[in-house]
Amino acid sequence: MELWRGVRMDGAAGYAVIDVETTGLRPSWHDRVVEVGIVHLDVAGRVTGEWSTLVNPERDLGPQRVHGIDAADVRHAPTFKDIAGALVRLLRGRVPVAHNLRFDLGFLTHEFARLGVEVPLRHDLGVCTMEQAARFLPQAPRNLAGCCAMADIPLDGHHDALVDARAAASLLRHYLALSHPDVPWSAELDAGTRASWPRLSGEDAQGVRRGVSAQRDGHFLARILDRLPRAPRPVHADAYLALLDQALLDHHISATEADALVDVAGRLGLARADVEKLHRDYLAAVAQAARADGVVTDAERREIELVSMLLGLPPAAAAEALAAADRHRPDRIPRYRLEPGDLIAFTGEMDGGREAWERLASAASYVPHPNVTKKVRLLVAADPNTLSGKARKARGYGIPIVTPEAFARMVGVSPRPAGP
């Protein structure tokens, strides 16, 4: 049995090193947790386990350029309510540790409070590796990267919750090594073992890591049931084709658009063979439009090849569609078009600022609109998978969502309008 001064090794569970990524800086401003990482250390600073998950904040993700979390990933992530029991299990009996502990505990306490749950997370009963740097790394800056550099601790992938929690755990081990054989936080360890935590269901909830969306989804065509096709041109196929045309406005099929296409195909009873036929019909219409003036430009050819790839068609499909366009005109395919005076709404943090994009819309004879209503024709979103209120309304109304770059191409200007 190892004995440090003031603490018996078998008498305390140890530390829970925490990092959270959030939609902003203040939970009081409706900011939410979007990722949690926790690393367990014993009293001596040895790693005994770790856990992390993305969290669906049920709103937009805020400054994605900081935390790098894509809205497509949080589609499959649990809400905070789903992981609350698991977090209680991971934090119970341990000293909370974080780099800027007030920030992390403030968000966790606020998230639990939203559920009506009171938890014993107190800054004065935890360890803040940022504040302790003044004692153990007096020449270091306050930020995590600077402290890690001073302590010769690697930090690759900053602003990933588990990566940052591991880095803060390494800082705590560094502080413990400098203190040995004393334990600077024996009172906190004792308080941690005695703190009263609520009992919540779901203590075994599993986390969802970044990148799981692409791994789980694959191409949306593979998610459509492989049943007997109904007819060469299924009844009500135009509803699927219209949605497909909206999805391809930005030359990209987002994860939420793929979900919508799979859902529509299912509700219309379309088999995979039906959908493949519709995809070829759509590609043929794109090729026919390119052939309409008698010349297929390099840009048009690249677009046809891109559409073919996005639709999951074989590599030769683009050339076949162009060749067929010379011989016959395919059935009419509904195509989306903007008209002067159409209302355009914007959401998310965009390069150059949202006002610059609104000016671009005005210059192209469209009308920027502050909210999404049934009269809005297009939503321009920094992240097409965003969970913002505007995006939820747009999807409910069947309004297309495109990226700022795609909108710039639609109006024929540079994709990065200058700010004021």
Side-chain angles (χ1 to χ4, degrees), residues 154-166:
L155 179 57
D156 298 321
H158 190 22
H159 291 301
D160 176 302
L162 186 57
V163 169
D164 287 356
R166 288 169 177 164

Side-chain angles (χ1 to χ4, degrees), residues 283-366:
L283 186 66
V286 175
Q288 183 67 41
R291 283 284 192 207
D293 60 0
V295 177
V296 179
T297 66
D298 289 342
E300 289 171 330
R301 191 178 301 276
R302 286 194 296 272
E303 179 181 8
I304 293 167
E305 292 171 350
L306 175 60
V307 168
S308 177
M309 183 270 294
L310 290 172
L311 297 181
L313 297 174
E320 293 170 357
L322 280 168
D326 288 331
R327 299 192 297 269
H328 63 86
R329 181 178 297 274
D331 294 337
R332 186 186 66 83
I333 300 294
R335 302 301 305 274
Y336 181 88
R337 294 287 185 271
L338 285 175
E339 301 292 341
D342 280 346
L343 302 183
I344 311 291
F346 296 81
T347 187
E349 297 187 7
M350 303 173 183
D351 290 342
R354 192 180 302 178
E355 295 78 9
W357 290 94
E358 291 175 345
R359 288 195 297 272
L360 174 61
S362 297
S365 301
Y366 306 125

Side-chain angles (χ1 to χ4, degrees), residues 18 80 83-89 91-92 96 104-125 195-200:
I18 307 161
F80 193 88
I83 63 167
L87 292 178
V88 166
R89 174 180 60 83
L91 298 174
R92 182 187 295 122
D104 295 84
L105 294 194
F107 265 94
L108 289 179
T109 300
H110 194 271
E111 290 282 4
F112 277 110
R114 285 172 56 91
L115 304 177
V117 177
E118 184 176 350
V119 292
L121 290 173
R122 291 173 45 187
H123 173 263
D124 59 326
L125 295 179
S196 177
W197 282 82
R199 291 285 175 180
L200 300 180

Side-chain angles (χ1 to χ4, degrees), residues 190-267:
D190 180 60
T193 59
R194 291 186 289 103
S196 177
W197 282 82
R199 291 285 175 180
L200 300 180
S201 61
E203 291 196 355
D204 295 326
Q206 299 299 306
V208 172
R209 291 287 287 148
R210 300 186 187 206
V212 73
S213 178
Q215 296 170 7
R216 181 178 298 183
D217 289 344
H219 193 279
F220 73 92
L221 187 59
R223 294 155 55 196
I224 295 173
L225 293 179
D226 191 11
R227 53 194 166 198
L228 290 175
R230 297 178 52 166
R233 183 68 178 264
V235 179
H236 305 308
D238 278 0
Y240 179 87
L241 288 168
L243 182 61
L244 183 65
D245 187 56
Q246 292 184 8
L248 288 169
L249 283 175
D250 54 1
H251 297 169
H252 170 73
I253 297 178
S254 70
T256 49
E257 289 166 342
D259 287 347
L261 287 165
V262 173
D263 179 64
V264 167
R267 287 191 283 109

Side-chain angles (χ1 to χ4, degrees), residues 46-221:
R46 292 184 290 256
V47 175
T48 59
E50 59 182 34
W51 185 91
S52 70
T53 187
L54 292 170
V55 181
N56 186 333
E58 301 175 287
R59 53 150 288 177
D60 69 277
L61 289 169
Q64 290 173 265
R65 67 183 184 280
V66 175
H67 53 60
I69 296 171
D70 193 291
D73 279 330
V74 300
R75 292 160 52 250
H76 295 306
T79 63
F80 193 88
K81 180 180 180 180
D82 296 330
I83 63 167
L87 292 178
V88 166
R89 174 180 60 83
L90 291 162
L91 298 174
R92 182 187 295 122
R94 293 180 175 271
V95 178
V97 181
H99 200 81
N100 194 354
L101 185 65
R102 290 182 186 273
F103 179 89
D104 295 84
L105 294 194
F107 265 94
L108 289 179
T109 300
H110 194 271
E111 290 282 4
F112 277 110
R114 285 172 56 91
L115 304 177
V117 177
E118 184 176 350
V119 292
L121 290 173
R122 291 173 45 187
H123 173 263
D124 59 326
L125 295 179
V127 180
C128 179
T129 55
M130 181 178 73
E131 293 179 359
Q132 292 296 324
R135 173 182 178 185
F136 295 102
L137 298 168
Q139 305 304 315
R142 292 173 64 85
N143 61 69
L144 180 61
C147 289
C148 286
M150 186 68 68
D152 198 25
I153 294 169
L155 179 57
D156 298 321
H158 190 22
H159 291 301
D160 176 302
L162 186 57
V163 169
D164 287 356
R166 288 169 177 164
S170 295
L171 277 176
L172 185 70
R173 284 199 303 273
H174 183 72
Y175 299 165
L176 287 169
L178 293 175
S179 304
H180 192 271
D182 294 316
V183 177
W185 305 291
S186 56
E188 287 82 355
L189 286 165
D190 180 60
T193 59
R194 291 186 289 103
S196 177
W197 282 82
R199 291 285 175 180
L200 300 180
S201 61
E203 291 196 355
D204 295 326
Q206 299 299 306
V208 172
R209 291 287 287 148
R210 300 186 187 206
V212 73
S213 178
Q215 296 170 7
R216 181 178 298 183
D217 289 344
H219 193 279
F220 73 92
L221 187 59

